Amino acid sequence: MPPRKRKVNYPPARTATRPAPAVGAGPEPAYVRPTVVTIDLNAGTGRRGLTVGDRVRIVGTGLYNGEVAVIETLASGVIPAANVRTEAGRTRRVRTIDLEPMPPDA
């Protein structure tokens, strides 16, 4: 008859006796990563009343912020967008929620 195998006895894990950390008890992060993104949940609704040829101001953040532009094309989709041409002649695709209609006399 072969010898009987001994049962292996593992020591308990070192983390087994530690209590769970309290929420908010730890140090707060002093540095916020620049790659952290905030998502505008209202962007999917878009802005109503925009048509091709309208003068708009680009608001929000990003390229050409604050510049006046003319809508060249409108694209529907999950997030409605428009191709605009700025007064400087540059083009950009912008979410319609980031466009602010200009009054006709401006």
Side-chain angles (χ1 to χ4, degrees), residues 14-26:
R14 292 183 185 186
T15 57
T17 58
R18 288 188 191 164
V23 177

Side-chain angles (χ1 to χ4, degrees), residues 32-102:
V32 177
R33 296 178 299 161
T35 57
V36 174
V37 176
T38 58
I39 298 173
D40 186 358
L41 299 177
N42 298 324
T45 60
R47 188 177 299 267
R48 306 275 183 227
L50 296 176
T51 58
V52 175
D54 285 352
R55 288 174 46 94
V56 293
R57 180 179 309 277
I58 301 172
V59 295
T61 60
L63 195 60
Y64 310 134
N65 179 20
E67 290 193 36
V68 176
V70 176
I71 297 176
E72 291 188 334
T73 61
L74 288 168
S76 61
V78 176
I79 298 177
N83 284 337
V84 297
R85 183 174 300 275
T86 64
E87 291 180 336
R90 299 210 167 105
T91 60
R92 178 180 175 210
R93 187 174 189 107
V94 184
R95 301 179 308 175
T96 57
I97 198 160
D98 291 334
L99 296 176
E100 178 180 84
M102 295 288 293

